[in-house]
Amino acid sequence: MRLNKMHLLVVGAAAALAACTPAEPNPQEVFFNTIAEHCGKAYEGQVTSGNPETDATWMNNRIVIEVRECTENRIRIPLHVGDNHSRTWIITKTQMGLELKHDHRLEDGSDDPMTMYGGTTVTLGTPDSQAFPADEYSKQLFTQLDATVSITNTWWMSFPDENTFRYRLSRPNREFHVDVDLSQEVEAPPAPWGWEDNFQY
């Protein structure tokens, strides 16, 4: 009888210890929170992989990102290329995973025809890297706008090291990287075009 009681005590202690062991953190939560730590800050970036012809505008202009808005479930990051303030990355927590959308605006604040494309993660990724394959909406949009080459797009966001944030576009025969230096803050550019009304997204 004493052995049975001892056995129950050991099993009970093991169960209690297991219950107290913290679960492994969700890599997407960690990734999202790492970006959110930079909320309110702006940083300069540069193209580190691209095509000198098709990416000339990016390569020949100053690139600045600003982690401008962070809520529990959404982060908005305006991307400024020279005097072009049309772009905002939107990262949102969804039931399916993390979603990345590209909000593009015209200078009057209205939607660019090519806007809100992106995708949702299909794996948990890692705390330092997340991949966003083009979703069905994006594929239909690219088809409608004669940009079918982009149907196979996958966008990546990652932290190659503690001082670098990387935005990457990848598809067959296409690699485009912007590396952002997180070690030094810069002054934030003006608000992106249409910023006041894009809360609807």
Side-chain angles (χ1 to χ4, degrees):
M1 191 69 171
R2 177 179 296 175
L3 287 175
N4 288 340
K5 286 183 177 179
M6 182 63 69
H7 176 73
L8 290 173
L9 286 172
V10 171
V11 171
L17 183 61
C20 293
T21 302
E24 286 293 317
N26 182 316
Q28 293 184 347
E29 286 281 346
V30 176
F31 181 82
F32 185 94
N33 292 337
T34 300
I35 296 178
E37 288 174 4
H38 296 277
C39 207
K41 300 176 182 179
Y43 304 99
E44 192 163 345
Q46 62 177 338
V47 175
T48 54
S49 180
N51 183 309
E53 293 182 6
T54 57
D55 301 322
T57 298
W58 292 76
M59 293 178 172
N60 296 328
N61 282 281
R62 184 170 183 249
I63 299 171
V64 177
I65 72 162
E66 180 189 6
V67 187
R68 190 178 177 95
E69 178 197 83
C70 305
T71 67
E72 183 179 353
N73 294 311
R74 186 181 71 178
I75 297 173
R76 292 199 291 171
I77 306 173
L79 166 66
H80 308 268
V81 182
D83 293 328
N84 186 312
H85 309 295
S86 65
R87 305 172 177 90
T88 300
W89 295 324
I90 305 176
I91 304 166
T92 306
K93 295 179 186 178
T94 74
Q95 292 183 345
M96 302 296 292
L98 292 180
E99 176 191 74
L100 170 66
K101 288 291 184 178
H102 299 73
D103 182 355
H104 286 199
R105 298 297 182 107
L106 301 177
E107 195 164 357
D108 65 3
S110 61
D111 286 342
D112 188 293
M114 182 75 77
T115 191
M116 298 311 289
Y117 60 86
T120 300
T121 54
V122 293
T123 70
L124 283 176
T126 73
D128 296 323
S129 181
Q130 295 291 324
F132 307 88
D135 57 23
E136 195 57 37
Y137 166 83
S138 302
K139 293 176 182 178
Q140 292 180 13
L141 181 68
F142 295 148
T143 300
Q144 292 169 4
L145 298 180
D146 254 348
T148 52
V149 68
S150 298
I151 286 176
T152 56
N153 279 5
T154 296
W155 298 274
W156 303 72
M157 288 184 163
S158 64
F159 294 93
D161 58 62
E162 63 181 357
N163 290 321
T164 306
F165 173 76
R166 175 174 293 162
Y167 170 83
R168 174 189 175 198
L169 163 63
S170 176
R171 64 172 180 258
N173 302 313
R174 173 70 163 144
E175 278 289 334
F176 176 73
H177 301 177
V178 172
D179 282 0
V180 177
D181 179 7
L182 301 176
S183 67
Q184 184 173 352
E185 290 183 53
V186 299
E187 185 177 350
W193 300 334
W195 178 262
E196 291 185 358
D197 71 326
N198 65 10
F199 68 88
Q200 61 188 299
Y201 297 113

